[in-house]
């Protein structure tokens, strides 16, 4: 049962006490509020079952670790089909598909940002790449085709880094990116990086062709790092509740629902 939001809220951030401004040096923050029954409740954010900055509510309706694989594979396959059709080139798994979601792909969250351990784990997997991208004029069509899939799946459209609001609000970052990656004759970019995300999943799509970099730096870096100079790369990731822990997660989250998250007090 979902609890109503607290009617009175008093935030007590213990970690901001004098002398404790460095992450990891202060105690975990607490929040005191009066609930709908008129009772005073104090929660210690060390007990928060999610991670600071995460969408804890979204994880209630998301699959847990054991349930994630089937819908994740379907999404990745749908994206592969869309990108291959739009780009006219195949995407090849970087390792055997049956090994996707093996233990090596999962990374349990080590800290919730407040000194406690969340009940979450993160997967990064399903890397697919081509040995070449399409002509630069087709890149937009590739991103649009993939965006139709991510939108239908509930992640929203893919947002290109160089067209993002975050970059638009950061002139220094915008200049650095454009000087480095958008120096193609005519003003085009030879590296596109796009991400689509919801409360627990993300898709990344990169298109690059370092041969278009007039400085030659792109080709040199690709050779130095033993990376492809021209390719399309697709990857999947998600952060979800650990296998079998959904009831414990929901119970632990209950007293925190509706509260504003304090800033992290640990660098975990």
């Amino acid at each position: 049962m979902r609890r109503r939001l607290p009617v009175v809220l008093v935030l007590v951030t213990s970690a901001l006490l004098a002398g404790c401004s460095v992450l990891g040096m202060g105690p975990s923050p607490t929040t005191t509020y009066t609930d709908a029954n008129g009772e005073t409740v104090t929660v210690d954010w060390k007990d928060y079952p999610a991670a600071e900055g995460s969408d804890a509510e979204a994880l209630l309706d998301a699959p847990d670790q054991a349930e994630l694989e089937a819908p994740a594979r379907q999404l990745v396959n749908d994206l592969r089909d869309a990108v291959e059709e739009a780009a006219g080139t195949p995407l090849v798994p970087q390792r055997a598909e049956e090994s996707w979601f093996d233990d090596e792909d999962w990374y349990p969250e080590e800290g919730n940002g407040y000194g406690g351990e969340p009940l979450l784990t993160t997967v990064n997997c399903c890397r697919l790449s081509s040995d070449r991208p399409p002509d630069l004029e087709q890149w937009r069509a590739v991103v649009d085709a993939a965006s139709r899939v991510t939108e239908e799946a509930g992640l929203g459209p893919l947002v290109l880094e160089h067209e993002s609001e975050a970059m638009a609000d950061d002139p220094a970052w915008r200049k650095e990116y454009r000087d480095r990656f958008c120096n193609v004759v005519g003003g085009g970019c030879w590296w596109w990086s796009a991400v689509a995300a919801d409360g627990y999943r993300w898709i990344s799509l990169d298109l690059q062709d370092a041969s278009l970099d007039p400085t030659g730096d792109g080709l040199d870096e690709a050779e130095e790092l033993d990376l492809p100079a021209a390719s399309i790369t697709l990857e999947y990731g998600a952060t979800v509740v650990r296998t079998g822990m959904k009831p414990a997660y929901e119970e632990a989250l209950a007293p925190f629902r509706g509260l504003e998250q304090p800033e992290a007090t640990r660098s975990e």
Side-chain angles (χ1 to χ4, degrees), residues 82-199:
V83 171
E84 287 181 341
E85 182 177 356
T89 187
L91 297 180
V92 179
Q94 296 305 288
R95 75 169 207 257
E97 292 187 42
E98 59 266 25
S99 70
W100 289 352
F101 301 95
D102 281 357
D103 289 346
E104 65 186 88
D105 290 317
W106 290 95
Y107 304 90
E109 297 286 329
E110 296 182 352
N112 63 2
Y114 308 112
E117 182 178 351
L119 302 178
L120 308 181
T121 186
T122 295
V123 64
N124 287 293
C125 71
C126 316
R127 184 181 176 91
L128 300 161
S129 295
S130 71
D131 60 1
R132 62 179 178 84
D135 292 338
L136 195 58
E137 293 76 16
Q138 295 176 260
W139 286 20
R140 179 69 62 178
V142 173
V143 174
D144 288 346
S147 285
R148 287 191 286 272
V149 176
T150 57
E151 286 187 282
E152 185 174 346
L155 286 85
L158 285 153
V159 177
L160 287 161
E161 183 177 4
H162 63 276
E163 296 179 355
S164 67
E165 291 184 8
M167 182 174 286
D169 293 337
D170 189 332
W173 179 22
R174 184 169 65 249
K175 183 180 185 305
E176 179 182 2
Y177 188 95
R178 292 194 174 279
D179 288 349
R180 180 69 185 87
F181 299 114
C182 301
N183 53 4
V184 178
V185 175
C189 303
W190 58 269
W191 187 314
W192 284 19
S193 181
V195 175
D198 59 9

Side-chain angles (χ1 to χ4, degrees), residues 58-75:
L59 295 175
L60 290 172
D61 299 321
D64 73 5
Q65 179 181 2
E67 300 165 336
L68 182 70
E69 182 174 347
R73 284 185 181 275
Q74 183 64 59
L75 174 57

Side-chain angles (χ1 to χ4, degrees), residues 220-235:
D220 291 343
E221 290 179 10
E223 182 177 357
E224 180 181 347
L225 298 174
D226 194 24
L227 296 173
S231 65
I232 303 172
T233 302
L234 177 69
E235 291 186 86

Side-chain angles (χ1 to χ4, degrees), residues 3-10 31-41 255 257-259:
R3 294 190 180 185
R4 289 183 293 173
L5 300 183
V7 294
V8 177
L9 174 63
V10 179
T31 296
T32 298
Y33 64 90
T34 302
D35 66 15
N37 296 320
E39 298 180 356
T40 299
V41 178
R257 295 177 71 177
L259 302 181

